[in-house]
Amino acid sequence: MPRILKVAAAQVGAVDRDADRAETLARLIALLDQAASEKVQLLLYPEVTFTTFFPRHLFTSSSDLNAYFEHNDDLTTSPSTAPLFSKAQNYGIDIVVGFAERTDEGKGYNTCVYYSAAVGKVINKYRKVHLPGTVEPFEDPEAVNQLEKRYFTPGDLGFPAFRAPGLLPTSSGDPVLGMLICNDRRWPEAWRSYALQGAELLLIGYNTVAHSPHLWGTTKPMTEEEAEKEALFHSRLVQQSNSYMNSVFSISSARCGLDDGKYNLIGGSAIINPEGHVVAEAKTKDDELVVAEIDLEECRQGREKTFDFGRHRRIEAYGRIGAQTGVVEPELL
Ligand code: CDT
């Protein structure tokens, strides 16, 4: 029995530092309107959906910084974010939305939530585990910073797979979903943690800088164009290979384009199937809906043969993975 879902990435083009929040929200809603007209059931927005990717900036005023954060409990009620959720509810479309989360205790997390139209509320939350970049800005004034380690705490919720009701007929079983945020997609442990819970579709919002030797550690000099091609290649490589190795569909949604006329972010939002093939991909670096109809039964092929975890995984050989972070080389002979 096929288990077919119509899904989409809502790719979002440039959003400047001083962009008007209401205008950005209107763009997000326009993508939702388009998704409704194409009968999409599940729509994924990028990391930190409502604003520019602010961790590239150093804020000295806490009120300036806090303007980019939302309090968790206010997300679906605050006038600057709630209209997206209520419109999704009216359309009957599930949405995944990223935001900078401020907790009661004052902690910051890079978070996303899954809003279920069938349930009428947020049914799952994920906090980004792998925070790239630095605490302090680079000394080079020309460097692109990524101050996520300054503004956020590593996610403390693990990788919680969940079922989303109302998307498929009850008899075919609710899909098992999982969420990752940007840099997490480069870590196979994150994908495998979801795959071990039977996840059938992973949802990944991102903001990926096209050219930043300070962050990427590129050894050979590259033009902006070459660097962007390389960043796009790596983004696609990790999505395709991890989808294949975990027999899971994945959707990635980019915030992309030229923020403030100078910060270049890659596009490349894509829907990948469990055999690692591209099903649909963005053609622009602007606001764009990337849509596909997917059959979750396609996860079975890998799951029941090559990557049948129960039959083939050898956990007695994997101890190092859960016990060690940095590299420990063998001793010299
Ligand atoms: N937002 C985010 O996590 N971006 C990172 C940039 C890399 S910093 C080395 C990414 O992995 O795409």
Side-chain angles (χ1 to χ4, degrees):
M1 269 278 287
R3 294 165 67 235
I4 293 174
L5 277 182
K6 194 153 191 189
V7 297
Q11 177 174 283
V12 179
V15 177
D16 291 343
R17 180 174 175 164
D18 61 359
D20 181 67
R21 288 275 303 246
E23 277 175 25
T24 308
L25 185 61
R27 286 168 59 189
L28 302 173
I29 289 176
L31 286 160
L32 184 60
D33 292 339
Q34 194 189 334
S37 73
E38 298 198 28
K39 304 213 174 335
V40 166
Q41 297 168 275
L42 165 51
L43 182 62
L44 167 69
Y45 287 98
E47 174 187 30
V48 191
T49 303
F50 298 99
T51 67
T52 195
F53 190 63
F54 70 88
R56 68 164 72 95
H57 303 295
L58 177 66
F59 292 91
T60 46
S61 141
S62 56
S63 67
D64 286 353
L65 174 63
N66 278 329
Y68 290 94
F69 280 78
E70 319 292 331
H71 191 281
N72 184 43
D73 299 339
D74 300 339
L75 195 66
T76 54
T77 53
S78 153
S80 56
T81 51
L84 192 63
F85 296 93
S86 50
K87 196 103 195 239
Q89 172 73 47
N90 290 343
Y91 282 138
I93 298 177
D94 287 13
I95 54 173
V96 176
V97 178
F99 67 108
E101 177 189 2
R102 184 71 74 209
T103 66
D104 284 340
E105 303 75 41
K107 279 188 175 170
Y109 291 100
N110 189 340
T111 300
C112 62
V113 290
Y114 188 99
Y115 182 88
S116 161
V119 182
K121 62 179 186 189
V122 167
I123 58 165
N124 200 269
K125 177 158 93 169
Y126 172 73
R127 289 173 169 159
K128 186 176 183 177
V129 167
H130 302 96
L131 299 177
T134 56
V135 175
E136 297 300 331
F138 296 113
E139 279 178 18
D140 179 354
E142 296 303 311
V144 179
N145 287 298
Q146 180 113 1
L147 301 173
E148 289 198 59
K149 289 191 194 296
R150 184 182 192 90
Y151 300 137
F152 301 126
T153 302
D156 57 353
L157 303 175
F159 301 101
F162 60 101
R163 287 192 190 266
L167 294 168
L168 293 172
T170 329
S171 57
S172 49
D174 292 332
V176 184
L177 309 178
M179 299 184 284
L180 293 173
I181 301 179
C182 196
N183 193 256
D184 289 322
R185 74 194 188 285
R186 304 183 196 278
W187 298 91
E189 297 88 343
W191 293 75
R192 185 53 54 93
S193 299
Y194 279 125
L196 284 168
Q197 299 168 76
E200 299 168 291
L201 171 62
L202 292 195
L203 302 146
I204 314 161
Y206 64 96
N207 282 263
T208 296
V209 61
H211 186 30
S212 174
H214 293 78
L215 288 167
W216 296 122
T218 330
T219 48
K220 58 177 184 188
M222 287 189 188
T223 63
E224 176 79 25
E225 208 179 21
E226 288 167 338
E228 179 162 3
K229 216 170 138 200
E230 182 81 342
L232 204 50
F233 166 71
H234 285 145
S235 183
R236 191 54 63 77
L237 177 70
V238 295
Q239 194 183 343
Q240 290 187 243
S241 56
N242 280 293
S243 284
Y244 167 65
M245 290 185 287
N246 293 287
S247 314
V248 65
F249 279 97
S250 61
I251 313 177
S252 64
S253 182
R255 254 289 345 280
C256 55
L258 212 57
D259 288 5
D260 302 311
K262 62 175 176 177
Y263 299 107
N264 188 14
L265 296 166
I266 65 166
S269 306
I271 300 173
I272 307 292
N273 74 18
E275 293 301 306
H277 297 286
V278 178
V279 179
E281 62 187 329
K283 294 175 179 54
T284 71
K285 279 180 68 181
D286 218 324
D287 295 8
E288 181 181 346
L289 204 67
V290 180
V291 187
E293 212 167 60
I294 60 173
D295 180 358
L296 298 178
E297 285 302 287
E298 288 175 26
C299 297
R300 280 183 187 275
Q301 180 182 333
R303 225 155 258 207
E304 291 175 359
K305 301 282 184 217
T306 315
F307 299 110
D308 180 344
F309 291 166
R311 280 195 298 138
H312 304 310
R313 289 185 81 241
R314 305 295 341 172
I315 54 171
E316 69 277 15
Y318 306 153
R320 202 178 287 281
I321 288 175
Q324 187 177 317
T325 48
V327 173
V328 180
E329 291 183 352
E331 285 181 13
L332 286 171
L333 282 180

